[in-house]
Amino acid sequence: MTDKKVKDIKNIDELASFLKEKGENHKNYNHYTTSWSLNLILKNSTLRFTRGNSKNLNDWHEWNEKGKQDIWNKTYIACFSYGDFEKMAMWGLYCLPSKEAVRLTIPQKALSFVKKFNSNNSGIKIYKDEDKKELIGNEAIKSIILSDVFYFKDNRPQSHNGAIFTFSENHVVNLLDKENATGIIKNHSWSYEKEVRIIIRFKDEQYSSKNEYEILNNVYLEFPNEMIKNALVTKGPNFDEYINNNENLIRTIENINNETSANMKLEKSSYKGLIHFKSDTMIFLKKESKGC
């Protein structure tokens, strides 16, 4: 990595480059979700990406006010959190019901296939559906990046891991409708997530095969077996070993290890037995957790 700091950045192009470089160099990438969702990820060998302005995402403020609207229609995001320690807020937000809470941790090297796209796109496969029946041709893809998110509040200079963002007054607001600002800028209220994203940008909007006027809410990126060979699954603080979804997940991990000689690990949360999730009582819409 270079020694450039946020305080040295003068424009959105430099900021995007800085965030991309940071995003590619974290030790680990954590995805907070449920055993139900993780089981699908492992069985199908795909990561689900959600369109950036889909109402399934929790920060509507981001796509309403940050980024260019027609670019959001072509932008799909998979979210991770960096850092070595568990985040209780993430367990509570993205892992409900808490008895099925899990965190998938992927080491840096295992995501190297994402970084290769712009130099060699032959190894990337993206599908319109989770069953991998319809492939989106690589010629439709504009870019795939691994990037940190930058957090700011109003128009004032903001900190990013101790550095100060020093765009001139009101400059940030003027930049929010730029294409390369789309998907990398969020309100400072979300800064505790320490979010890093894989961002897929298509050249044109992607439509459902069943309805030619319906823009796809999700696309699915196929990952190589190497991505999970050394991954770690952490069971949440209230994880219940005997729930059917959890039993299936444990069997899936065992099968992966047996079939690929992998070293995928399963460990317990360091907070086991110490946390009560009141948010469990709020689950009434869908069984599926969207993940972070």
Side-chain angles (χ1 to χ4, degrees):
M1 291 185 66
T2 68
D3 294 328
K4 179 183 278 291
K5 303 295 183 183
V6 174
K7 64 183 177 63
D8 301 321
I9 292 171
K10 301 299 187 295
N11 56 57
I12 189 62
D13 294 325
E14 290 186 6
L15 177 63
S17 178
F18 172 83
L19 294 175
K20 180 176 179 291
E21 187 173 20
K22 270 195 88 277
E24 292 176 347
N25 286 280
H26 295 299
K27 179 182 177 183
N28 292 308
Y29 300 82
N30 303 306
H31 183 65
Y32 289 82
T33 186
T34 66
S35 58
W36 187 89
S37 293
L38 182 54
N39 208 31
L40 288 177
I41 290 173
L42 299 180
K43 283 187 173 181
N44 296 325
S45 296
T46 57
L47 290 172
R48 180 178 58 189
F49 286 68
T50 301
R51 197 179 72 249
N53 56 355
S54 167
K55 291 186 178 180
N56 287 334
L57 294 179
N58 54 17
D59 185 8
W60 292 14
H61 186 271
E62 179 185 1
W63 58 262
N64 268 309
E65 298 190 13
K66 302 172 182 65
K68 201 170 183 178
Q69 283 304 307
D70 63 329
I71 301 301
W72 275 123
N73 284 346
K74 307 169 190 175
T75 301
Y76 293 78
I77 295 169
C79 306
F80 299 85
S81 178
Y82 62 86
D84 295 329
F85 302 104
E86 296 176 50
K87 297 183 176 71
M88 293 315 305
M90 303 295 276
W91 284 125
L93 276 173
Y94 300 112
C95 305
L96 298 175
S98 63
K99 289 185 178 181
E100 297 181 28
V102 290
R103 183 186 69 169
L104 175 67
T105 299
I106 303 170
Q108 179 195 114
K109 187 177 180 180
L111 283 181
S112 60
F113 74 100
V114 174
K115 297 187 288 184
K116 294 177 181 178
F117 171 76
N118 291 317
S119 59
N120 177 15
N121 62 9
S122 60
I124 295 290
K125 291 183 179 179
I126 300 174
Y127 300 88
K128 286 190 175 184
D129 57 89
E130 198 161 22
D131 296 327
K132 299 194 291 189
K133 293 178 180 177
E134 186 170 356
L135 181 68
I136 300 174
N138 286 347
E139 69 279 358
I141 307 169
K142 183 172 184 179
S143 63
I144 301 177
I145 63 170
L146 186 59
S147 174
D148 268 17
V149 169
F150 181 77
Y151 303 97
F152 84 100
K153 183 177 181 181
D154 302 325
N155 305 335
R156 290 169 286 179
Q158 294 299 299
S159 64
H160 190 78
N161 293 338
I164 300 297
F165 188 60
T166 56
F167 280 173
S168 59
E169 187 177 358
N170 293 327
H171 202 184
V172 172
V173 173
N174 293 336
L175 289 166
L176 293 185
D177 64 349
K178 302 297 184 183
E179 177 174 346
N180 56 354
T182 307
I184 63 170
I185 295 177
K186 292 185 71 170
N187 188 278
H188 197 261
S189 300
W190 297 92
S191 60
Y192 64 89
E193 291 190 343
K194 293 187 176 180
E195 186 176 350
V196 56
R197 294 171 164 179
I198 304 176
I199 302 173
I200 300 173
R201 195 103 73 208
F202 291 101
K203 296 174 183 175
D204 300 298
E205 296 170 356
Q206 299 299 306
Y207 291 89
S208 167
S209 301
K210 297 178 181 178
N211 184 345
E212 61 179 332
Y213 302 106
E214 180 184 350
I215 300 178
L216 286 175
N217 268 332
N218 302 102
V219 297
Y220 300 84
L221 173 67
E222 185 174 276
F223 56 78
N225 287 335
E226 287 73 17
M227 195 191 87
I228 58 170
K229 278 187 175 180
N230 293 297
L232 168 68
V233 174
T234 304
K235 298 179 285 188
N238 291 351
F239 189 89
D240 188 334
E241 301 279 354
Y242 303 102
I243 291 177
N244 185 52
N245 291 336
N246 296 345
E247 293 173 343
N248 289 339
L249 174 65
I250 292 170
R251 281 196 295 270
T252 298
I253 292 173
E254 290 173 349
N255 290 337
I256 288 171
N257 287 345
N258 292 335
E259 293 173 8
T260 67
S261 299
N263 191 30
M264 194 173 191
K265 298 181 178 65
L266 187 67
E267 70 174 19
K268 295 180 179 180
S269 167
S270 58
Y271 293 100
K272 181 69 175 176
L274 299 178
I275 301 297
H276 171 58
F277 284 91
K278 292 183 179 180
S279 50
D280 271 335
T281 60
M282 299 173 64
I283 304 170
F284 57 89
L285 291 179
K286 290 184 179 180
K287 178 181 179 181
E288 177 184 358
S289 170
K290 297 299 180 184
C292 69

